[in-house]
Amino acid sequence: MSEIDFDEIDFFRARPLYQDPYPYHEYLRVHGPAWREPHHGVVMVTGHEEAMAVYTDPATFSSCNTVAGPFTSFPVPFEGDDVSEIIEEYRDTLPFSDQLPSFDPPTHTAQRGLLMRLITPKRLKENEEFMWRLADRQIDEFVDSSECEFVHEYASPFTLLVIADLLGVPEEDHETFRKELQGGRRDRQFGSGSDGMVAHKPLEFLYDRFTKYVEDRRRRPRADVMTELAHATFPDGSLPPVDDVMRISANLFAAGQETTARMLGTALRFIGERPELQQQLREERDAIPRFIEECVRIESPLQGQFRMARVPATVGGVEVPAGGSVFVMPGAANRDPRQFPDPAEFKLDRPNGRQHVGFGFGIHTCAGAPLARAEGNVSINRLLDRLGDIRISEAKHGPPGERRYEYTPIYLMRGLDELYLEFTPVA
């Protein structure tokens, strides 16, 4: 990767680059914490402080293009120093415009408030109890073989079924969700497209299912979580349209499953690569939360999000015109040496480890972050309990120092396609 001429690289079209994006991040950082790349005029934000500034200023930076970036044009040209009216009139023409991450206040405020009524502390506690049972159930599927392909045999089904339980998907439908959204395929992650962005098709299945669930529970309430979801109200007490509940549920389902599965893949790669770290976690279980935070920091599942400037702005000394696109890069910001000394080193005792932006920041901070952390804690504890001497498969990934890993080739997220492990079952 160091031999590539980064001056000629169009990051948004360079799929091989996503296997190891960090040299490119450093190339960007040489130009400053923000820099306008020459191919699309996107301002690339690699600085931690600068990323936080964009995240916390939704009045200036709209989330309307969070997935689309500059690659989907508005039907009218931008004119003047305030394009807010154009954004509001035409935002529905952009990809993923019906999803919470692309909303701005006040719509975002109301929809986020509804979401928080769906994932209450009580519901999260009940869900965590389910996680412990589910972790054992998933491990049971492969433990006797002394090996597994971790991403598809544990991480993906575990995170999918956790979010299904959280939202009250009837248990008799869990296997249908697993087949429809994963299909037993190992050539893609949930929601991943072939164009470097994100596929929308899985949402169609989720939209259909959650619409039917919500409509049914509103007609015939039951004593179940899905009924609570169907009757959850906006913060002002009003009952939302069925479509709003359906979209919020589908978004939480899709986003929560995808990013958490990637986080777990990273965690087990580090455990398999570093016997001394694995032993420390076995002996010091209270270190697991810190371990999870450092995994998210050093290999952020969320690698980038676009923003659009409503008015002229400045980021890291770079001027952004009204209508200009900014690409906030958590994967780079979490390795900003101004914030994290020796950023490329994995440090379990990093004092500011939780200051990463791996779950975003500001009004769009991942609402499922507490859930992801709980999934990580439960999974790692049970895996360490039941799998001894966890190792990376040399037959599949090569020997130490010559490892071969494949990452899903999309620039918005980062995660292993496959992770083959070997271990000794614990009696």
Side-chain angles (χ1 to χ4, degrees):
M1 193 66 66
S2 60
E3 297 179 359
I4 291 179
D5 183 358
F6 288 128
D7 289 337
E8 301 298 322
I9 288 292
D10 176 356
F11 173 77
F12 300 106
R13 298 289 184 267
R15 288 167 62 90
L17 185 66
Y18 313 146
Q19 296 302 311
D20 182 12
Y22 302 116
Y24 181 77
H25 292 180
E26 294 311 306
Y27 160 81
L28 292 176
R29 210 182 305 281
V30 168
H31 293 81
W35 182 62
R36 190 186 316 281
E37 59 85 37
H39 301 278
H40 305 280
V42 177
V43 175
M44 312 288 275
V45 182
T46 58
H48 185 274
E49 178 182 344
E50 291 73 19
M52 298 270 282
V54 174
Y55 279 139
T56 55
D57 189 5
T60 299
F61 298 101
S62 170
S63 296
C64 66
N65 67 336
T66 187
V67 169
F71 306 112
T72 302
S73 300
F74 280 77
V76 298
F78 288 129
E79 296 180 353
D81 286 339
D82 190 335
V83 299
S84 295
E85 290 186 5
I86 295 176
I87 288 175
E88 297 313 313
E89 184 173 358
Y90 297 106
R91 66 188 307 141
D92 290 346
T93 66
L94 299 180
F96 275 61
S97 60
D98 59 351
Q99 293 295 294
L100 184 62
S102 71
F103 293 170
D104 294 318
T107 303
H108 176 270
T109 306
Q111 297 284 330
R112 174 89 176 196
L114 173 61
L115 174 60
M116 300 315 293
R117 279 165 164 70
L118 304 182
I119 51 176
T120 63
K122 175 178 178 292
R123 186 68 201 112
L124 287 172
K125 177 65 175 177
E126 294 168 346
N127 186 233
E128 185 170 345
E129 294 170 358
F130 170 78
M131 287 183 210
W132 288 103
R133 299 192 299 274
L134 177 63
D136 275 321
R137 198 167 77 202
Q138 286 303 132
I139 294 170
D140 285 343
E141 292 188 6
F142 57 78
V143 65
D144 290 339
S145 66
S146 299
E147 62 181 12
C148 71
E149 193 289 289
F150 180 76
V151 174
H152 295 85
E153 292 186 52
Y154 184 91
S156 289
F158 176 82
T159 54
L160 186 148
L161 295 177
V162 164
I163 202 75
D165 175 77
L166 178 73
L167 292 173
V169 173
E171 193 158 350
E172 61 267 25
D173 291 348
H174 282 191
E175 189 58 28
T176 298
F177 271 65
R178 186 171 173 178
K179 288 179 179 178
E180 287 291 333
L181 298 176
Q182 296 175 336
R185 295 178 61 190
R186 292 190 175 184
D187 60 348
R188 67 170 175 86
Q189 289 262 47
F190 177 94
S192 301
S194 59
D195 59 355
M197 294 178 68
V198 181
H200 201 274
K201 189 172 181 180
L203 289 175
E204 296 173 6
F205 167 77
L206 293 172
Y207 284 176
D208 177 69
R209 280 303 173 116
F210 280 105
T211 295
K212 292 176 180 176
Y213 287 145
V214 174
E215 289 176 342
D216 175 73
R217 296 309 194 272
R218 285 189 175 178
R219 288 193 304 266
R220 294 183 292 273
R222 308 179 195 176
D224 64 4
V225 173
M226 190 61 72
T227 297
E228 295 177 17
L229 182 150
H231 291 271
T233 60
F234 283 128
D236 66 3
S238 62
L239 189 68
V242 170
D243 280 358
D244 282 0
V245 182
M246 170 271 289
R247 288 193 179 95
I248 288 291
S249 303
N251 176 254
L252 180 62
F253 199 111
Q257 193 276 339
E258 174 82 354
T259 55
T260 307
R262 293 171 185 273
M263 178 191 78
L264 290 175
T266 294
L268 267 293
R269 178 172 69 82
F270 277 113
I271 286 174
E273 290 277 18
R274 305 189 178 194
E276 74 290 346
L277 174 62
Q278 181 178 158
Q279 188 58 35
Q280 182 178 357
L281 294 175
R282 290 185 185 280
E283 296 173 355
E284 302 174 24
R285 297 303 178 93
D286 59 354
I288 290 176
R290 300 198 309 275
F291 169 71
I292 293 169
E293 300 300 333
E294 184 67 348
C295 287
V296 174
R297 183 199 69 81
I298 200 167
E299 287 277 22
S300 305
L302 176 65
Q303 285 281 301
Q305 298 167 302
F306 289 102
R307 295 290 187 267
M308 178 176 289
R310 294 177 175 273
V311 297
T314 301
V315 181
V318 179
E319 294 183 357
V320 186
S325 290
V326 170
F327 190 56
V328 184
M329 305 175 71
N334 285 339
R335 293 187 176 212
D336 184 345
R338 300 175 304 168
Q339 182 72 18
F340 303 104
D342 302 317
E345 292 185 20
F346 188 99
K347 294 185 177 182
L348 191 58
D349 58 351
R350 193 175 290 277
N352 63 344
R354 280 189 68 127
Q355 292 179 12
H356 64 75
V357 288
F359 292 118
F361 198 77
I363 65 170
H364 284 285
T365 298
C366 177
L371 176 67
R373 290 178 168 117
E375 289 178 85
N377 184 61
V378 168
S379 293
I380 294 167
N381 267 289
R382 292 308 287 146
L383 289 162
L384 292 176
D385 285 343
R386 300 192 58 188
L387 312 182
D389 187 23
I390 300 170
R391 309 174 302 281
I392 304 297
S393 169
E394 293 190 14
K396 296 292 186 178
H397 296 296
E402 300 178 28
R403 298 293 197 203
R404 302 181 301 273
Y405 295 113
E406 290 292 326
Y407 289 84
T408 308
I410 53 179
Y411 59 76
L412 293 176
M413 291 180 283
R414 181 165 174 80
L416 289 166
D417 275 347
E418 297 177 325
L419 178 64
Y420 290 89
L421 301 175
E422 298 171 353
F423 51 83
T424 303
V426 176

